[in-house]
Amino acid sequence: MAAASYLPSEDQFLCSICLDLFTDPVSTSCGHNFCKDCITEHWDTSDRCQCPMCKKEFYTRPELHVNTFISEMVAQFRQSAQQKASSSSSSSSSEQQVFKPGEVPCDVCTETKLKALKSCLVCLTSYCETHLEPHLTASSLKRHQLIDPVENLEDRMCPNNPHDKPLELFCKTDHTCVCILCHVSEHKMHEVVPLKEGYERKKAELGKTEAETQQIIQKRQRKIQEIKYSVDLSEKDADREIAEGVQVFTALKESVERGQANLINTIKEKQKTTKKKAEALIKELEQEISELEKRSSEVEPVTHSEDHLHVLQSVKSLNIQHPPPSKDLNKFSLTPAVYEGTVVKAVAQLEETLGKEMKKLLEAKLKRIQKHAVNVTLDPRTAHPCLILSDDKKRVKYGDVEKNLPNNRERFSDCNIVLGKQSFSSGRFYFEVQVKGKTEWDLGVVGESINRKGDISPSPEDGYWTIWLRKGIKYEARDDPPVLLSLKSQKVGVFVDYEEGLVSFYDVDAAALIYSFTRWSFDEKLFPFFGPGLKYGRKNAAPLIISHVN
């Protein structure tokens, strides 16, 4: 009875090929047992016919027959295991979570489906807590690979129909998951690693890619912040410009209205004065006419009388023997008021007001530009051998002797030029240069790739954005074509807006714009550019001086 109740352990009924309970178990002559399909498929895909366990080779494939004894023992073990699992399931199902939509159910539960805790990649089955227990206790099942519960475990089987093996290897050559039979067949010469190793490597690559992606995202987020900041600055600049514009135009409007009112009042006052004078002359003449008419009325009866005595006596008494005295009419001439020049004078005053407002605007603009001032120093590596630089690298002038200096790549070999040490590839920058006492000079900015050997012909197309003075009177912007300028500047300001493609020159003392190069597309570093010109006796001996910007 004791023997009848004995039930061997599960390890004794596991196929060493599929690691699952025997199905149609067969025995080889060396005494090892396998599933009939497993050993048949193994021999079909192998070069040799040998036992997978002891490697005994058979020169002819053995004829296989199902071992009925082992088959019955396996069936008995299955029934006992199911009964045990069923009773265990019924007692613990109330304590475990019942499967809900969206969760992975246990594949073994027959009545109430419980939530799976793990899925086995070897058994291709998902297990609840109760049915998972054998995989945690049985030594043979402990070798199985358990993962968090997933659905569609069939997708983890090799798609090659005759293989029916789990995808547990990774082919690095083809970048695909394969089974063990794929490895010995079509992927035999490829580099194949265990799935876990492939996973770890790929996960590391993905981690690196993700880190790089996050860096790219962060860079673009920072660029977005920069753009937003630029928009904010632009809005502030726009608001300030609008406010200044409204202020200026309001002042101009008021000035125009005052000028118009003054013009009208002036003309009206002149007309009023003329009219008043005319009225006085007319009144005086009318008074004289009245007196003459009165005298005429007194004389008229005498002229019609026939009485000799009366006429003679009347003439004597009235004193009418002579015409009455009258005023010189030339004194009563009236010259019309002169209005010519009144409008011109009013417009001239308006122009003067406009000039003052423009000067205020230019001074305010220059002050804003001066906020972008940078500390520029001269770079000795670029200076022509005839140039003399001060110790603080802020002054440069032409010398009489050419120094013996290395002809390095950065140095100008034939033109008396020196560049600033600082370079700029974004944003805005500004610097000022004193040119007082000089009759010849060059100033501006240049691209890093300009030609520095031999003669140069500065133009924007060649990477030069400069202005110059020649012979003490000829100012010129080296544009294409060159543009003649009119100025008497003692200090020149150079302003660059890299993104806007703008290079502007200012007369600092007059707060006036000299010239602007606009709408250029800079694609390299820009350097300040200085040319003190040749020394003509003592005419051009003064140095170019990089000034401190107030």
Side-chain angles (χ1 to χ4, degrees):
M1 294 297 293
S5 63
Y6 168 73
L7 187 64
S9 67
E10 183 183 11
D11 293 352
Q12 295 176 274
F13 302 120
L14 294 179
C15 172
S16 59
I17 297 178
C18 68
L19 300 179
D20 205 349
L21 293 176
F22 288 126
T23 302
D24 296 332
V26 296
S27 302
T28 60
S29 60
C30 56
H32 296 114
N33 302 311
F34 308 95
C35 296
K36 184 176 181 181
D37 290 343
C38 291
I39 190 63
T40 299
E41 184 178 353
H42 177 72
W43 284 343
D44 288 342
T45 57
S46 300
D47 296 336
R48 298 178 180 179
C49 184
Q50 60 182 8
C51 175
M53 295 292 290
C54 65
K55 307 302 180 183
K56 179 179 179 181
E57 188 171 350
F58 306 104
Y59 295 103
T60 58
R61 180 181 292 195
E63 186 177 354
L64 301 175
H65 299 281
V66 176
N67 189 323
T68 56
F69 174 74
I70 297 177
S71 180
E72 291 175 358
M73 291 292 290
V74 170
Q76 184 179 357
F77 180 83
R78 285 181 189 276
Q79 183 179 2
S80 176
Q82 289 177 356
Q83 290 176 351
K84 182 178 179 182
S86 178
S87 60
S88 175
S89 174
S90 61
S91 62
S92 60
S93 61
S94 59
E95 300 177 1
Q96 299 183 50
Q97 294 183 5
V98 178
F99 157 71
K100 297 177 183 178
E103 297 177 339
V104 178
C106 175
D107 294 329
V108 181
C109 293
T110 56
E111 297 179 357
T112 302
K113 288 286 187 179
L114 299 180
K115 177 183 177 182
L117 294 183
K118 294 290 181 180
S119 294
C120 178
L121 295 181
V122 178
C123 304
L124 297 179
T125 305
S126 297
Y127 299 102
C128 65
E129 181 180 356
T130 301
H131 296 127
L132 180 64
E133 184 178 356
H135 279 75
L136 303 177
T137 57
S139 58
S140 58
L141 295 178
K142 287 182 179 180
R143 295 194 298 268
H144 291 195
Q145 185 176 356
L146 299 175
I147 61 173
D148 291 334
V150 294
E151 295 182 319
N152 302 323
L153 286 168
E154 299 80 11
D155 294 342
R156 298 175 178 270
M157 295 296 292
C158 181
N160 291 335
N161 192 29
H163 290 181
D164 195 27
K165 294 290 183 183
L167 299 171
E168 53 187 353
L169 300 173
F170 178 72
C171 178
K172 296 175 64 177
T173 304
D174 292 340
H175 299 281
T176 185
C177 297
V178 298
C179 71
I180 190 171
L181 297 181
C182 293
H183 177 34
V184 298
S185 54
E186 58 262 34
H187 296 271
K188 186 174 182 179
M189 303 303 295
H190 295 178
E191 184 179 359
V192 177
V193 297
L195 201 63
K196 183 178 181 181
E197 182 179 342
Y199 154 80
E200 291 175 347
R201 290 185 180 181
K202 186 60 66 176
K203 187 176 181 180
E205 292 176 2
L206 291 175
K208 183 179 179 181
T209 302
E210 176 64 16
E212 293 174 351
T213 302
Q214 289 301 321
Q215 290 180 355
I216 294 174
I217 292 174
Q218 290 174 5
K219 288 181 179 178
R220 276 141 185 80
Q221 288 175 338
R222 287 195 294 269
K223 182 57 68 175
I224 290 174
Q225 293 302 318
E226 291 177 6
I227 294 173
K228 288 182 177 179
Y229 180 68
S230 297
V231 170
D232 291 340
L233 288 181
S234 179
E235 289 180 351
K236 291 179 181 178
D237 289 344
D239 292 341
R240 184 182 61 249
E241 289 292 332
I242 291 173
E244 290 181 355
V246 170
Q247 182 180 357
V248 170
F249 278 94
T250 299
L252 290 176
K253 181 181 178 182
E254 292 174 353
S255 179
V256 169
E257 291 173 349
R258 286 195 303 271
Q260 179 181 337
N262 291 335
L263 173 66
I264 294 173
N265 289 335
T266 300
I267 294 174
K268 285 184 175 181
E269 285 295 325
K270 285 187 176 182
Q271 175 63 16
K272 184 178 179 180
T273 301
T274 302
K275 186 177 180 181
K276 188 175 180 180
K277 183 178 180 181
E279 289 174 348
L281 293 174
I282 291 171
K283 184 177 180 180
E284 186 176 351
L285 288 172
E286 286 177 344
Q287 184 177 357
E288 186 178 5
I289 290 171
S290 177
E291 292 176 355
L292 290 173
E293 286 177 345
K294 180 180 179 182
R295 181 180 179 84
S296 177
S297 64
E298 293 175 349
V299 172
E300 184 177 1
V302 176
T303 60
H304 292 86
S305 176
E306 296 295 333
D307 186 346
H308 300 163
L309 179 62
H310 174 70
V311 169
L312 292 174
Q313 288 177 343
S314 296
V315 168
K316 183 178 179 181
S317 62
L318 294 175
N319 194 22
I320 57 174
Q321 67 270 27
H322 299 292
S326 61
K327 297 180 179 180
D328 186 2
L329 290 179
N330 290 329
K331 296 180 179 181
F332 288 87
S333 62
L334 181 67
T335 304
V338 178
Y339 303 110
E340 294 179 4
T342 306
V343 176
V344 174
K345 183 178 179 181
V347 173
Q349 291 177 345
L350 184 60
E351 288 180 345
E352 182 180 354
T353 302
L354 178 60
K356 291 179 180 179
E357 293 298 329
M358 284 296 297
K359 184 172 179 60
K360 290 179 182 178
L361 278 178
L362 290 172
E363 288 175 348
K365 183 176 182 180
L366 183 58
K367 286 182 179 180
R368 289 198 301 272
I369 288 175
Q370 287 174 330
K371 292 180 180 179
H372 299 284
V374 294
N375 182 26
V376 174
T377 55
L378 303 172
D379 187 356
R381 298 176 305 163
T382 66
H384 184 273
C386 285
L387 297 182
I388 300 174
L389 277 58
S390 62
D391 293 339
D392 61 359
K393 305 299 184 292
K394 291 287 187 176
R395 299 167 178 248
V396 57
K397 63 181 180 179
Y398 185 79
D400 295 325
V401 179
E402 181 172 333
K403 297 183 290 294
N404 184 18
L405 298 174
N407 189 19
N408 51 285
R409 182 175 59 86
E410 297 86 1
R411 192 179 306 283
F412 288 86
S413 61
D414 290 80
C415 296
N416 301 314
I417 301 298
V418 61
L419 300 184
K421 187 174 183 179
Q422 294 72 23
S423 63
F424 306 91
S425 56
S426 64
R428 302 170 180 175
F429 64 95
Y430 173 83
F431 59 95
E432 293 178 354
V433 183
Q434 181 176 310
V435 296
K436 183 178 180 180
K438 296 193 65 60
T439 59
E440 183 175 299
W441 50 257
D442 297 70
L443 287 176
V445 294
V446 296
E448 183 178 23
S449 62
I450 60 168
N451 177 34
R452 309 186 189 200
K453 309 300 180 184
D455 291 333
I456 60 174
S457 179
S459 68
E461 287 75 12
D462 295 326
Y464 293 79
W465 294 270
T466 62
I467 63 174
W468 73 15
L469 168 66
R470 293 293 184 268
K471 299 180 181 179
I473 56 173
K474 185 180 180 181
Y475 292 90
E476 194 172 82
R478 302 301 296 166
D479 209 336
D480 189 14
V483 179
L484 288 176
L485 305 173
S486 177
L487 69 149
K488 293 290 184 181
S489 180
Q490 301 296 311
K491 185 182 291 185
V492 177
V494 183
F495 173 68
V496 177
D497 188 328
Y498 195 95
E499 281 71 25
E500 289 293 327
L502 172 70
V503 180
S504 295
F505 298 86
Y506 289 88
D507 183 337
V508 178
D509 296 329
L513 176 66
I514 298 174
Y515 190 77
S516 288
F517 296 89
T518 59
R519 298 182 180 179
W520 286 94
S521 180
F522 302 131
D523 56 3
E524 61 178 339
K525 294 179 181 179
L526 298 181
F527 290 83
F529 174 90
F530 307 89
L534 296 174
K535 184 178 178 182
Y536 303 100
R538 301 190 62 82
K539 287 185 178 181
N540 196 41
L544 284 177
I545 304 173
I546 302 174
S547 304
H548 173 71
V549 179
N550 294 324

